[in-house]
Each structure stands twice: as structure tokens, then as C-alpha cells.
Amino acid sequence: MASILRSPQALQLTLALIKPDAVAHPLILEAVHEQILSNKFLIVRTRELQWRKEDCRRFYREHEGRFFYQRLVEFMASGPIRAYILAHKDAIQLWRTLMGPTRVFRARHMAPDSIRGSLGLTDTRNTTHGSDSVVSASREIAAFFPDFSEQRWYEEEEPQLRCGPVRYSPEEGIHCALGRETLNQPSKVLSVPEGNRGLKTLSLLDPITCPKT
């Protein structure tokens, strides 16, 4: 895989998946989505899809032969999943911290407020997935978003999102940079209360507090 050129200050990308057990329950799906927003991730792309078993096997091929492999493949192909490309200064580690340990029993004891600690059912039905490195993030993003060019995003979109201000659109489910023409027009966009379900603005220059685990 070709090296992606980016500045030292650039935002980091990660893949986040919400698994079938969570997507099947709208309240759980919404709770995870709100965790993403409240921790100041930028949602770059999102989609819902039904995974084929062949895709699952390919994605999890590093686990082939292990006792849980077939069970994992069957589960991930059992219902719709939601995929996100998330951006943040430390996207990979922050998302993994929010998820909590892979093993739900461990998550409930070590990180009870994490997503898996509070919502996970079993080690397979543990609500979410996240990339574990920059290399795996690039590979996994390409698998779920084949039309997404990481290099082009870093060249064209990343500087605008990093410098802000940005808006989140519930209709589109992603964050976008506010254009200069938007900023110069009388608008209530920049003063929307934080709890409002409409457009919400933020800057990644704001201090970020990672959850305690």
C-alpha cells in the first residue's frame, strides 16, 4: 500500500463499526452515535450495509483457524452494520478507549462506562469494532469505503476540517467545513445549543477530555 502524505498536525482517521447486535436496537445504535459526537470525533463518511459472508471471511482472515472465527463470520453477516470513517487528532486510540476491552467480561470490570462495558453482550456480540493501527485503519477503510481516497481527503478536506469551524448535519450524518459564504451570512448555526438535534458546530482546537477507564 502506498504511503499517504500528510502533515504532522493532520487529523488521524480510523474505521469504526457498529455491529449487528447494536444496529438491531435503535436506542443502542443512537447511544453509540451520540458517544461519537460527544467525544468530538468528526464523522467523515458513514454508511449502513449488509455484509456478505465472503466479505466477512476476507476481513477477518487473520483469525482464520481460531476457535471463534466461524462464529464471528456468521454473526457479522447476520444483520445490517453501520460503518464510519472517524477523524480526530488521536482517532485510533480514543475510539479504542471508548470501546473498551474486546472481552465483555473484562470491559465490565475494567471499563464499565465504556461502550462494550455498558452495552456488550458477549465477546462476539460486543457492539463495536475499531482499527488498531494506522496501517489497519487504511486497509479497513478501503474495504468498507472503496470509493474513498484517503490521499485526496488529506489534500482537500482534512485542512478545512482541522482548522474549522465545521458543522454536523443529522440529515447527512457527517461533518462538513463551513464555507466562508456561510460564515458571512446572518445565521444561528454558530449559536445552536449543544443539546440541539440540528446543526452543531465545534472546533478541534477545543480541549478534549478522554474518558477514564
Side-chain angles (χ1 to χ4, degrees), residues 12-213:
Q12 187 180 73
L13 295 176
T14 192
L15 179 82
L17 297 181
I18 304 183
K19 295 182 177 182
D21 57 316
V23 175
H25 295 86
L27 292 178
I28 295 178
L29 179 62
E30 180 66 16
V32 177
H33 184 78
E34 287 300 320
Q35 281 267 48
I36 291 171
L37 295 178
S38 65
N39 281 275
K40 297 187 178 180
F41 283 102
L42 296 180
I43 301 175
V44 175
R45 301 286 189 276
T46 184
R47 61 183 294 225
E48 289 193 17
L49 67 155
Q50 176 77 47
W51 229 3
R52 300 175 302 175
K53 287 185 180 179
E54 309 89 84
D55 299 323
C56 298
R57 293 190 184 99
R58 192 178 306 116
F59 188 79
Y60 290 112
R61 62 182 177 272
E62 64 187 281
H63 300 305
E64 189 172 2
R66 304 187 69 178
F67 72 92
F68 58 81
Y69 173 73
Q70 189 57 39
R71 183 177 65 211
L72 180 60
V73 167
E74 295 283 345
F75 166 64
M76 292 299 289
S78 67
I81 59 177
R82 181 181 290 182
Y84 294 92
I85 302 176
L86 302 180
H88 191 278
K89 289 184 291 186
D90 190 21
I92 293 171
Q93 186 55 52
L94 178 56
W95 177 241
R96 292 184 69 80
T97 299
L98 286 174
M99 289 194 299
T102 300
R103 294 183 178 278
V104 169
F105 177 81
R106 189 178 177 200
R108 288 172 180 166
H109 286 80
M110 296 183 62
D113 295 329
S114 67
I115 293 172
R116 288 167 172 164
S118 58
L119 300 173
L121 300 175
T122 68
D123 294 349
T124 300
R125 300 171 183 269
N126 60 1
T127 311
T128 52
H129 166 87
S131 306
D132 61 8
S133 68
V134 171
V135 172
S136 67
S138 294
R139 174 176 58 82
E140 293 176 357
I141 287 170
F144 279 89
F145 297 87
D147 296 331
F148 178 78
S149 169
E150 192 172 344
Q151 182 65 62
R152 189 177 305 120
W153 183 82
Y154 272 106
E155 292 172 354
E156 299 175 3
E157 296 183 47
E158 188 277 339
Q160 299 179 56
L161 291 173
R162 170 164 41 91
C163 297
V166 300
R167 67 180 177 89
Y168 171 70
S169 170
E171 292 77 18
E172 298 180 53
I174 61 173
H175 288 89
C176 301
L178 284 172
R180 186 178 301 276
E181 67 282 356
T182 304
L183 292 174
N184 290 335
Q185 293 176 355
S187 174
K188 294 183 179 180
V189 171
L190 298 181
S191 60
V192 173
E194 185 68 18
N196 193 285
R197 295 290 298 166
L199 296 179
K200 187 186 301 182
T201 62
L202 57 91
S203 170
L204 290 189
L205 299 180
D206 294 339
I208 296 173
T209 303
C210 295
K212 296 181 180 180
T213 60

